[in-house]
Amino acid sequence: MTDRQFDVVLLGATGFTGSLTAEYLATHAPAGTRWALAGRDGGRLRALRDRLGVDAGVVEADVADASSLRRLAEAGRVLITAVGPYIRYGEGVVAACAEAGTDYVDLTGEPEFVDLTFLRHHATAVRTGARLVHACGFDAIPADLGAFFTVQQLPEGQPIRMRGYLSIGALPSGGTFDSALTALARWRSGTVARARRRRVEPVDQSRRVRGVSGRPGYDRTAGAWVLPLPTIDPQIVVRSARALDRYGPDFSYGHFVALGNPLKAAALGTGAIGVFALAQVPPARRALSRLRPPGSGPTPQQRAKAWFRLRFVADGGDRRVVTEVAAADPAYGGTAKMLAESALCLAHDPLPSNAGQVTTAVAMGDALRARLDAAGISFRVVESR
């Protein structure tokens, strides 16, 4: 792809997370990186470019126009899309990248979209050499690369039991809230898509890899009250484990949110059940979406106070390790950093040879972890015995 016009193209650059990603690229893309801002409104894109003071290209493209997406995919080596919810607006972008052999990254947390992408576009991407890498933001890089880092601290060839415990202080953006409501409203079709994927996806029968749901309650290992987190994160971790022998012959993973007291745990659990129920009713779902409309997000002051810590406890053989991934502003500054560094890693770093729908651990592994560590997202061993 040396004849491509751009190394990295950012679609949805004028949205909330897209503009943060553009700001990050403007200050952190290596010298000589050829990159472009893309979206429907050329005037807004040029205004963003002028505000950033960068020599970036501007490409007009609409997710509803397949021909514009084809031209966009053919113009770049790596395409970032920040246009969601992806189940509504994402498939055309994936299809264009798969056909053009263009590497693709997004920040989706929508399992149905990821499963449908595998069913419809994985084979094409394998043929053309495109790497389709989903969930390159707070969902699910800390979980995926954190689990990968943790496995590397354990003896090889041993069964591994791992649990991840998330503590977080952050507010969602309107786009994230809209995507979550959409996923909840589509849980039935999402279940169907996952079942279809399981029927056709190859599985290595010589190894046992699984996710475990766990139970809410007090967890002595975490020293906190925990609730299972049925997000895309544990699904991504399990897919990395199935693809990489380093996770051992028998690997299990559970993913939880850790809270300081039972009242918070009960309130969060009850609230989640209520939102799920309301998301099934279109008028109620629309009313909920107005609480935090797409395009809105936390203020710079709120983001400055945001934080997260994802702690892993893993047992393998006769060893136990505790590791941690942590950073400030996970929801948006951090997600923009992860998204941009994923694209730069694909564009510039020597990486394993693979294609099709792959996870961050499979596609980039240590190279991306090193980039993120240098960018302020820390990966460290807390305890090893």
Side-chain angles (χ1 to χ4, degrees):
M1 293 189 291
T2 55
D3 60 338
R4 301 288 175 101
Q5 185 178 3
F6 303 108
D7 297 309
V8 176
V9 177
L10 171 60
L11 178 63
T14 59
F16 181 76
T17 303
S19 62
L20 292 174
T21 307
E23 290 173 8
Y24 187 87
L25 286 170
T27 55
H28 292 85
T33 300
R34 303 164 301 155
W35 65 287
L37 306 167
R40 289 182 299 176
D41 190 328
R44 291 181 65 194
L45 293 169
R46 285 185 284 273
L48 174 62
R49 180 182 62 183
D50 293 344
R51 177 172 68 81
L52 296 175
V54 293
D55 183 23
V58 168
V59 182
E60 293 187 30
D62 190 330
V63 295
D65 182 349
S67 61
S68 73
L69 293 179
R70 184 174 61 251
R71 291 192 296 271
L72 184 67
E74 291 172 349
R77 297 172 56 216
V78 183
L79 191 150
I80 307 169
T81 175
V83 182
Y86 292 90
I87 197 69
R88 294 184 203 151
Y89 306 120
E91 185 175 358
V93 185
V94 178
C97 289
E99 288 286 351
T102 300
D103 289 342
Y104 164 100
V105 297
D106 66 26
L107 48 80
T108 188
E110 303 163 51
E112 181 187 7
F113 172 71
V114 175
D115 289 335
L116 291 175
T117 293
F118 178 85
L119 290 166
R120 297 170 180 172
H121 305 293
H122 171 74
T124 299
V126 169
R127 175 176 56 81
T128 63
R131 290 170 286 200
L132 309 178
V133 193
H134 302 282
C136 292
F138 182 62
D139 291 326
I141 280 181
D144 191 31
L145 292 187
F148 181 67
F149 173 70
T150 306
V151 164
Q152 292 174 312
Q153 314 309 312
L154 291 166
E156 294 192 42
Q158 299 295 319
I160 296 172
R161 179 182 183 272
M162 186 185 300
R163 303 294 182 268
Y165 300 98
L166 175 67
S167 302
I168 185 169
L171 295 172
S173 74
T176 297
F177 192 54
D178 189 29
S179 291
L181 286 177
T182 300
L184 291 173
R186 296 179 58 91
W187 72 271
R188 290 185 180 86
S189 56
T191 301
V192 171
R194 180 177 294 188
R196 289 177 57 202
R197 176 177 185 151
R198 285 175 174 169
R199 287 195 294 269
V200 301
E201 188 171 18
V203 175
D204 182 355
Q205 299 295 337
S206 68
R207 301 171 61 234
R208 187 183 186 206
V209 176
R210 64 204 183 281
V212 293
S213 58
R215 295 179 179 179
Y218 186 76
D219 188 305
R220 291 182 180 178
T221 301
W225 294 83
V226 303
L227 293 171
L229 271 180
T231 60
I232 198 170
D233 301 61
Q235 298 178 32
I236 298 292
V237 170
V238 166
R239 284 176 190 145
S240 292
R242 286 178 177 152
L244 298 170
D245 290 342
R246 184 61 180 82
Y247 288 70
D250 189 332
F251 177 85
S252 68
Y253 181 74
H255 195 66
F256 304 86
V257 61
L259 300 160
N261 64 64
L263 294 179
K264 286 184 179 180
L268 181 60
T270 302
I273 293 170
V275 170
F276 175 82
L278 291 172
Q280 312 311 307
V281 183
R285 187 167 65 249
R286 288 192 292 270
L288 282 174
S289 69
R290 287 194 289 271
L291 297 175
R292 193 168 284 273
S296 65
T299 65
Q301 293 77 19
Q302 290 170 325
R303 296 202 311 272
K305 297 177 181 179
W307 58 274
F308 86 94
R309 182 181 69 243
L310 181 53
R311 185 160 286 192
F312 299 86
V313 180
D315 297 288
D318 60 352
R319 293 275 305 284
R320 165 168 283 192
V321 296
V322 180
T323 66
E324 182 180 279
V325 182
D329 189 12
Y332 301 99
T335 278
K337 182 183 297 184
M338 296 177 212
L339 188 62
E341 290 291 357
S342 296
L344 293 171
C345 187
L346 288 170
H348 294 306
D349 295 350
L351 298 171
S353 177
N354 48 53
Q357 188 187 89
V358 286
T359 66
T360 52
V362 173
M364 294 171 274
D366 288 330
L368 180 56
R369 181 178 61 79
R371 280 181 167 273
L372 295 177
D373 206 45
I377 299 175
S378 68
F379 293 73
R380 70 186 185 100
V381 177
V382 176
E383 178 184 330
S384 179
R385 66 175 190 266

